[in-house]
Amino acid sequence: MTQTESGTPKSRAALVELAGVSKNYGNVRALEGVTLQVHAGEITCVLGDNGAGKSTLIKIIAGLHQHDGGTLSLDGEETRLSSPREALDRGIATVYQDLAVVPLMPVWRNFFLGSEPRKGVAPFKRMDVDHMRRTTHAELLRMGIDLRDVDQPIGTLSGGERQCVAIARAVYFGAKVLVLDEPTAALGVKQSGVVLKYVAAARDQGLGVVLITHNPHHAYLVGDRFVLLKRGTMVGNHERDDITLDELTRQMAGGNELDDLRHELRRR
C-alpha cells in the first residue's frame, strides 16, 4: 500500500489488469467481458475446461494476439501489446505447456537459449559456456532445485523438473509477471506438488503469477485470486477468503448444470 497526500491508503497498481476484455476470431467470440488483476507477490488462477477461453487469454497477455474490446493495463498504464517480444521486454514471461526446450541440449544451454552471453572480441566472440554452467546451477539452486549435473540433456529430466527449469529461467531474466499454461496437466501427484512448490517460490520472490489450470485442487493450494471461464465468458471472480475449495470445485464442475444432470440421471 502507498499513501495519498491526505494520508489515506491507496492501492498499488496491478502489474497486469484486464477490464472487460473481449476477443473475436471472425464470427467466433472467443472471450467476452473478462476482467482480472495480477499483483506482485500474488497468484491469480484462471480455471476452465477445454474451450473456455484460457488459451486466448494467455495469447493476449503474452502479446501474441491483441484484444478487440476492453482494456489491458500494465502497471496502471493502458496499453496494447504488439508482440511477444514487447511483452517480454515489459516483464511478462509465458511458459507454455509444451515448453520451448531442445531435448538433446544440456540444461544450461536450454536455460540461456536465445540469450547466450558471449566473451572475447569480434570477430572471435564465443559463447561463455563456463558462465552459463555456473549461473544455471546457481539460479536453479536459489529456487530450491538441486541438479547434480547441468550438462545432462534436459530431455532426461522429468516433466516437473523441466517446468521448474523454465520457471527459474523466467525469474533469472527479470520477469515481473509469470504466466504458466497448465504446468501440472500431464504430471502425477508428486511431480505436480514439486511444480506448485516452485510456483509459490516465484510468488515469494515478488513476481505476479498467472496460473492457468483446469484443476481446482491445484489452484486452491497456491492461489490468491480465482477467475473462472466458461465458453469465453467469466462466470466467477473470487479472492481466496471469499470462496471455499468445495464451492470452487462446484463452480468449476458446472454448478447448477451438474445438479440438473444429477437429478436427470437419477430419474432415468
Side-chain angles (χ1 to χ4, degrees):
M1 301 289 284
T2 58
Q3 297 287 324
T4 62
E5 291 181 2
S6 62
T8 57
K10 182 175 71 174
S11 297
R12 292 172 301 164
L15 295 176
V16 176
E17 182 173 8
L18 276 64
V21 163
S22 300
K23 177 64 182 177
N24 299 326
Y25 296 108
N27 295 325
V28 178
R29 178 61 64 92
L31 283 181
E32 182 173 5
V34 174
T35 295
L36 65 79
Q37 292 185 338
V38 183
H39 289 269
E42 291 186 358
I43 298 174
T44 298
C45 298
V46 179
L47 299 101
D49 286 327
N50 293 336
K54 303 190 302 296
S55 295
T56 301
L57 184 66
I58 290 174
K59 290 172 183 175
I60 290 173
I61 297 175
L64 276 167
H65 293 169
Q66 291 191 346
H67 52 290
D68 298 320
T71 61
L72 166 65
S73 299
L74 303 182
D75 293 319
E77 177 188 350
E78 186 176 336
T79 188
R80 296 179 74 86
L81 295 171
S82 60
S83 68
R85 180 74 259 176
E86 183 184 356
L88 196 57
D89 290 343
R90 298 287 296 270
I92 300 173
T94 303
V95 178
Y96 292 98
Q97 185 176 343
D98 54 1
L99 295 178
V101 298
V102 183
L104 295 180
M105 283 186 176
V107 174
W108 63 264
R109 188 73 171 84
N110 276 275
F111 191 91
F112 281 93
L113 194 61
S115 302
E116 296 85 351
R118 297 181 181 276
K119 64 180 180 179
V121 179
F124 304 106
K125 280 190 174 182
R126 62 189 186 280
M127 290 193 302
D128 192 344
V129 174
D130 289 340
H131 170 75
M132 287 190 278
R133 283 194 179 108
R134 289 195 309 271
T135 302
T136 299
H137 185 267
E139 290 301 314
L140 292 177
L141 197 60
R142 191 162 70 92
M143 289 288 291
I145 309 166
D146 188 8
L147 285 184
R148 291 188 301 274
D149 183 13
V150 295
D151 281 304
Q152 67 188 100
I154 199 168
T156 64
L157 303 183
S158 68
E161 288 171 329
R162 290 196 296 272
Q163 286 281 353
C164 297
V165 170
I167 293 171
R169 182 184 192 276
V171 172
Y172 172 72
F173 282 102
K176 295 189 295 182
V177 176
L178 181 61
V179 183
L180 299 168
D181 175 22
E182 298 273 9
T184 62
L187 305 181
V189 174
K190 185 174 181 180
Q191 286 194 37
S192 294
V194 170
V195 171
L196 291 175
K197 172 184 172 184
Y198 297 121
V199 172
R203 172 203 63 200
D204 293 344
Q205 293 199 30
L207 276 72
V209 180
V210 182
L211 176 64
I212 311 293
T213 182
H214 64 270
N215 191 317
H217 292 83
H218 292 171
Y220 204 78
L221 282 171
V222 295
D224 298 290
R225 303 167 186 264
F226 307 97
V227 173
L228 289 95
L229 299 180
K230 182 179 180 182
R231 296 175 185 171
T233 62
M234 191 171 66
V235 295
N237 191 346
H238 310 281
E239 294 194 9
R240 185 183 182 86
D241 292 341
D242 299 332
I243 192 168
T244 64
L245 173 58
D246 287 344
E247 179 59 22
L248 184 65
T249 303
R250 180 178 179 277
Q251 290 189 23
M252 175 69 186
N256 293 333
E257 291 182 9
L258 194 62
D259 291 339
D260 292 343
L261 177 61
R262 185 182 296 113
H263 290 311
E264 182 180 349
L265 293 174
R266 282 178 179 172
R267 284 199 301 273
R268 290 183 178 179

